[in-house]
Amino acid sequence: MPFRRPVPTKAPGGTPEDSQVENQLQGTVDRIIWKAADSAYCVLSVLPEGRTKAVTVNGQLVVSTGSSYEFEGDWTVHPKFGRQFRAREARPLVPTTERGIELWLGSGTFPNIGPIRARTIVELWGLAAIQILEEEPERLVEIKGITPARAADIGKDWAVHREQGEVMQKLLAWGITPNQAGKLWTAYGKNAADALKDNPYQIIAKVSGFGFFTADAIARRVGIGEGDGRRAEAASVYVVEESESDGDTLTGTGIVIGAATGDLQVPRDMAPTGLQRAIDSGKLIEVSGLDAVSLRKTYRFAAGTSQALKDLRGRWDSDLSLKGMELSMLVPNQLRAVELASRQRFLAITGGPGTGKTFTQSALINMWLVNGKQVALCAPTGRAARRMQELAGHPASTIHRLIGLGPESAAHTQGNPLYADVVVVDEASMVDIRMMYYVTQALKNSAALCLIGDADQLPSIGAGDVLRDVLATEVAPTVRLTEILRQAEGSPIVTNSHRINRGEMPEPHLVSEAPLEGWAHWIEPDMPPVSAANAVETLVAERCPARGIDPKDVQVLVPMYRGYCGINALNTRLQARLNPPGPRKPEATVGKGEDARRFRVGDRVIQTRNNYEISVMNGEVGYLVDVHEGKFILEFDEREVTYGPLDQFDLKLAYAVSIHKMQGSEAPAIIIPLVQEHTRMWGRQLLYTAVTRASQLVTLVGSQKVLRRAVANDKTSRRSTLLRRMLVGEIPDVMPTVHEDEED
């Protein structure tokens, strides 16, 4: 559809200054007075056709300065700002004057037409310029400097601009935000609106940032009801995805149907049909021999990982030599690890703090290097990789960087394997099934793999439980380091972490008596959450600095975001105390309402999801160093990264963070509030993981009751995983034949 031509209108009985019909206004956007940061709402100054005085227009609109539109809506009278036009829609118009055409073409809307070229076009063709660009763009070669290829590009830009404007207005009319509309345009182009009308649930898999409930809201607007088969299918997939977000890679069909009919209100007679549709379409895999399903990609990850780990069980072509190695300092289990690694290409090592995992790792690396093997060290997070490198004295990187892992693929695959003869993965308890799949696929055929981690810590944030699955099935030779080494026996962090892991209360040390290295209690019989929050603030801002510990070296770990002593409240308090606002300190707000987050230069922040475009991964902590023109500049370990407006939604303050986010990382000082409002979250495994994050000082703050309950609670959530069953042969580790020719 071409751009709309202006239609002269005049309200009955109106004056020349009021030449418009009651619900329409035609004019050129003079300037954008105000624009919302998180929606399409804007206030415009618009110069109507044939008028000399601008009027105010507002609404959910996508427009650009210098462009002309036909606005549809209603005239209103604002009590403060007077007469305004409240627009529901803005349809692009072509300007009617040569000057207007020149300004429009040279406004930057069209990448290949600048102000000078716009003037030349208008001088040559006058008012006919628009028609020529629309119908005969090849004639642009008549202008000096425009080649046939450039003319074709301008023609394409023109068509895209026209189509995008029309599509965006349709999407906005359905309540879709500009950011969402932009993503849909990128994914579907001119077919975006039609795609949503056909099946809005298809966007869940194709476009990031769209979940079931967003698609469901769009479905209502386009007339799709609760009993529609497309909705039932999408609901089944959503339930399985939610199960995966809790760590499972296998979900019972009864759970899927129950959640679909309960929480999602799919009619009972449609829920089984929806599940079968999801299986037939290949979105879900029906697991052979079990009344359960899995996401297609997850099944592929588990099957590929299972096959690769089984293939790794072989020996080296010849045993590696231990001659010349100093082995006398190794305890028996450490020596066993070295001997196994000299014969086997797959090894798993687990142990708690103070049991010598790092020393064992160093001995292994030395043995491989002496035998001429190339060794690659990696860990799931940047902080874990840096710690690994410092302790091992050998280069290390993140898993993502080592194998070139992106959102949907990796640079190193079976067709382009890693150089390394041996790959060592530290903090392996954090590795989910997706990441392990890509690691195993990156190994060359003759390579060895060594997994090192603490199986008693929390499992990975992502789906799966790889390290425990490997240990439980004994697919690899396993070494369990249990002896606390002599040099670690005097550390209260080591001794108390093992006490907690055994279900014993940690030995108390009063805050007033705590050394720079050690353990401190600020525990009362039943400390209220408000008192605990006050105590945390005092510790971070006063007592730690008084002992020579910089607040930047202090990390508060909390199991929940809500509450007086939750992550959100503590971050607000600590930000105000450690980084208060100042007249020359830039700051900005991201989001609105309850989700609004205030950031200012100097804040410690954390990334909350993997962002491959800017190469910042989930859990990385950095500092905000500048706010400029809507962009954030962050520093991650001396690396500066620029965050655009959309990227900023992935940031949160990090004075206090969740224990899950701290996995694989250390801080000199850790403060852990234990309060009644978080009792249901606390367990032995969670507390053990929290205290083992400290290298110098652990301080427990809060209630004795909550501490006792946390230590006594040995319940750990057993994840339902495909890999464990595949490794023991319970289910096949091959993709079902019916879908094996489909691309993922």
Side-chain angles (χ1 to χ4, degrees):
M1 185 177 81
F3 288 97
R4 291 176 63 88
R5 308 286 176 178
V7 179
T9 57
K10 184 175 180 178
T15 66
E17 288 295 301
D18 288 323
S19 296
Q20 67 274 322
V21 297
E22 186 176 349
N23 63 349
Q24 288 185 347
L25 172 69
Q26 296 178 352
T28 302
V29 178
D30 179 55
R31 63 188 178 95
I32 299 175
I33 301 172
W34 183 83
K35 186 176 185 344
D38 53 354
S39 75
Y41 186 83
C42 56
V43 181
L44 313 172
S45 174
V46 174
L47 187 64
E49 294 288 333
R51 289 183 56 171
T52 58
K53 184 179 179 182
V55 299
T56 301
V57 176
N58 59 65
Q60 299 277 345
L61 306 167
V62 178
V63 298
S64 56
T65 303
S67 296
S68 300
Y69 300 89
E70 180 181 80
F71 298 95
E72 184 175 313
D74 301 288
W75 287 96
T76 62
V77 179
H78 192 279
K80 182 177 180 181
F81 300 110
R83 193 163 184 251
Q84 300 181 348
F85 192 81
R86 184 177 296 163
R88 293 182 296 272
E89 185 177 358
R91 294 182 287 270
L93 293 172
V94 295
T96 58
T97 66
E98 291 187 359
R99 178 58 178 166
I101 294 172
E102 181 184 330
L103 290 173
W104 184 38
L105 295 178
S107 65
T109 302
F110 308 100
N112 289 289
I113 302 178
I116 296 175
R117 188 162 284 165
R119 187 179 305 118
T120 304
I121 290 173
V122 174
E123 287 175 352
L124 179 62
W125 291 315
L127 295 177
I130 300 297
Q131 186 174 353
I132 291 172
L133 286 168
E134 192 170 299
E135 300 175 0
E136 302 176 277
E138 64 276 6
R139 289 186 58 187
L140 286 164
V141 297
E142 298 174 21
I143 297 173
K144 185 179 179 181
I146 296 183
T147 63
R150 179 60 59 86
D153 289 340
I154 293 173
K156 290 177 184 177
D157 292 341
W158 185 270
V160 168
H161 177 75
R162 178 186 65 210
E163 293 170 344
Q164 186 176 15
E166 294 170 357
V167 171
M168 294 289 277
Q169 292 299 333
K170 288 181 181 179
L171 297 178
L172 292 172
W174 289 339
I176 296 171
T177 69
N179 292 337
Q180 292 172 330
K183 290 181 178 181
L184 291 169
W185 171 262
T186 301
Y188 295 101
K190 65 181 180 181
N191 299 317
D194 293 335
L196 261 62
K197 278 188 176 181
D198 178 58
N199 183 6
Y201 299 101
Q202 66 181 291
I203 65 177
I204 299 172
K206 190 168 182 176
V207 187
S208 65
F210 284 87
F212 175 81
F213 292 105
T214 302
D216 206 34
I218 297 172
R220 295 291 187 275
R221 298 188 188 103
V222 300
I224 295 177
E226 290 185 351
D228 192 284
R230 293 166 293 182
R231 183 176 187 273
E233 179 183 351
S236 295
V237 176
Y238 171 74
V239 172
V240 179
E241 289 173 338
E242 285 298 288
S243 178
E244 275 210 6
S245 70
D246 291 331
D248 296 328
T249 57
L250 192 66
T251 308
T253 56
I255 295 173
V256 177
I257 293 172
T261 56
D263 298 338
L264 305 181
Q265 298 181 339
V266 174
R268 290 189 176 278
D269 61 332
M270 285 299 303
T273 302
L275 176 58
Q276 191 59 52
R277 284 180 58 137
I279 294 170
D280 292 341
S281 67
K283 296 181 178 69
L284 298 180
I285 297 295
E286 190 172 17
V287 181
S288 176
L290 298 177
D291 194 14
V293 293
S294 167
L295 292 176
R296 175 175 173 77
K297 284 188 177 182
T298 304
Y299 197 100
R300 179 169 67 88
F301 293 151
T305 301
S306 175
Q307 294 170 8
L309 295 183
K310 290 175 182 177
D311 291 342
L312 281 166
R313 290 181 295 187
R315 300 172 66 97
W316 292 104
D317 291 339
S318 59
D319 291 356
L320 306 183
S321 174
L322 301 181
K323 292 181 179 180
M325 292 190 62
E326 180 55 61
L327 304 176
S328 60
M329 296 181 66
L330 300 177
V331 301
N333 275 343
Q334 292 175 323
L335 180 59
R336 180 170 175 266
V338 175
E339 291 174 341
L340 283 171
S342 70
R343 301 191 300 270
Q344 303 289 334
R345 292 172 47 236
F346 188 19
L347 180 66
I349 301 172
T350 182
T355 58
K357 291 195 301 295
T358 300
F359 192 74
T360 305
Q361 184 183 106
S362 297
L364 291 170
I365 294 170
N366 184 46
M367 184 270 293
W368 286 316
L369 293 176
V370 166
N371 282 273
K373 303 297 182 183
Q374 295 192 74
V375 182
L377 308 184
C378 61
T381 68
R383 286 184 291 182
R386 287 188 300 278
R387 180 170 169 266
M388 187 184 191
Q389 181 169 309
E390 291 167 359
L391 296 175
H394 189 83
S397 71
T398 63
I399 294 174
H400 293 84
R401 188 168 292 118
L402 177 66
I403 64 177
L405 182 58
E408 299 293 338
S409 62
H412 290 288
T413 62
Q414 292 178 344
N416 179 35
L418 283 168
Y419 67 90
D421 300 304
V422 182
V423 173
V424 181
V425 181
D426 200 7
E427 298 289 352
S429 64
M430 294 179 61
V431 179
D432 60 27
I433 189 63
R434 173 184 176 273
M435 193 179 293
M436 182 54 67
Y437 168 79
Y438 283 112
V439 168
T440 58
Q441 301 308 299
L443 301 176
K444 61 184 180 182
N445 291 334
S446 59
L449 177 66
C450 180
L451 304 180
I452 303 175
D454 186 350
D456 292 323
Q457 290 190 24
L458 293 170
S460 59
I461 297 175
D465 204 357
V466 173
L467 180 61
R468 289 173 189 78
D469 287 349
V470 168
L471 297 173
T473 58
E474 298 183 346
V475 66
T478 298
V479 177
R480 299 179 185 271
L481 303 175
T482 56
E483 182 182 350
I484 299 177
L485 302 182
R486 189 180 307 166
Q487 59 267 33
E489 289 177 348
S491 167
I493 296 175
V494 171
T495 56
N496 276 334
S497 63
H498 284 276
R499 288 179 66 88
I500 291 169
N501 206 29
R502 294 194 300 267
E504 303 170 7
M505 288 287 285
E507 296 177 345
H509 300 263
L510 298 178
V511 168
S512 59
E513 300 173 354
L516 290 181
E517 297 188 12
W519 188 280
H521 271 45
W522 193 337
I523 297 291
E524 299 176 1
D526 195 12
M527 184 184 291
V530 174
S531 300
N534 292 335
V536 169
E537 182 181 335
T538 300
L539 282 165
V540 176
E542 299 176 20
R543 297 204 180 194
C544 281
R547 286 183 165 83
I549 301 177
D550 192 314
K552 289 185 177 182
D553 292 330
V554 181
Q555 184 63 68
V556 181
L557 297 182
V558 190
M560 291 182 66
Y561 282 88
R562 305 289 183 184
Y564 286 105
C565 213
I567 294 171
N568 293 335
L570 287 176
N571 270 320
T572 299
R573 293 182 65 141
L574 293 172
Q575 181 193 45
R577 186 68 181 274
L578 301 175
N579 189 30
R584 297 185 178 180
K585 187 180 293 182
E587 59 181 42
T589 299
V590 177
K592 66 177 184 176
E594 293 184 358
D595 297 325
R597 282 162 274 168
R598 193 74 174 168
F599 298 98
R600 62 178 63 100
V601 169
D603 277 335
R604 184 197 303 173
V605 297
I606 188 169
Q607 178 75 12
T608 60
R609 74 173 184 90
N610 291 337
N611 189 327
Y612 296 94
E613 292 182 0
I614 58 176
S615 298
V616 183
M617 300 297 115
N618 187 3
E620 288 200 57
V621 174
Y623 285 87
L624 182 60
V625 297
D626 194 16
V627 175
H628 182 66
E629 295 182 349
K631 296 180 179 180
F632 289 1
I633 309 298
L634 274 85
E635 186 177 276
F636 295 92
D637 298 310
E638 301 181 355
R639 178 174 69 98
E640 285 196 351
V641 180
T642 299
Y643 276 62
L646 292 180
D647 301 322
Q648 296 162 18
F649 283 90
D650 299 328
L651 294 173
K652 289 184 177 180
L653 292 173
Y655 301 99
V657 300
S658 72
I659 298 157
H660 286 84
K661 291 292 188 186
M662 196 63 182
Q663 285 181 263
S665 302
E666 280 190 350
I670 294 292
I671 297 174
I672 306 169
L674 295 128
V675 293
Q676 191 69 37
E677 61 187 8
H678 300 159
T679 299
R680 66 182 181 86
M681 294 293 298
W682 279 114
R684 188 184 302 172
Q685 188 182 42
L686 191 66
L687 183 58
Y688 171 80
T689 303
V691 301
T692 56
R693 301 305 89 207
S695 61
Q696 295 182 19
L697 178 65
V698 171
T699 304
L700 303 184
V701 180
S703 168
Q704 182 83 1
K705 288 182 182 179
V706 178
L707 176 58
R708 287 191 178 280
R709 289 176 183 173
V711 173
N713 181 10
D714 64 347
K715 294 181 180 179
T716 56
S717 58
R718 287 288 301 271
R719 293 182 170 181
S720 181
T721 66
L722 289 162
L723 181 61
R724 187 175 301 196
R725 291 172 170 85
M726 288 177 174
L727 289 175
V728 298
E730 184 179 343
I731 57 177
D733 55 8
V734 293
M735 294 293 293
T737 304
V738 65
H739 296 306
E740 67 181 5
D741 60 337
E742 297 180 9
E743 294 293 329
D744 292 290

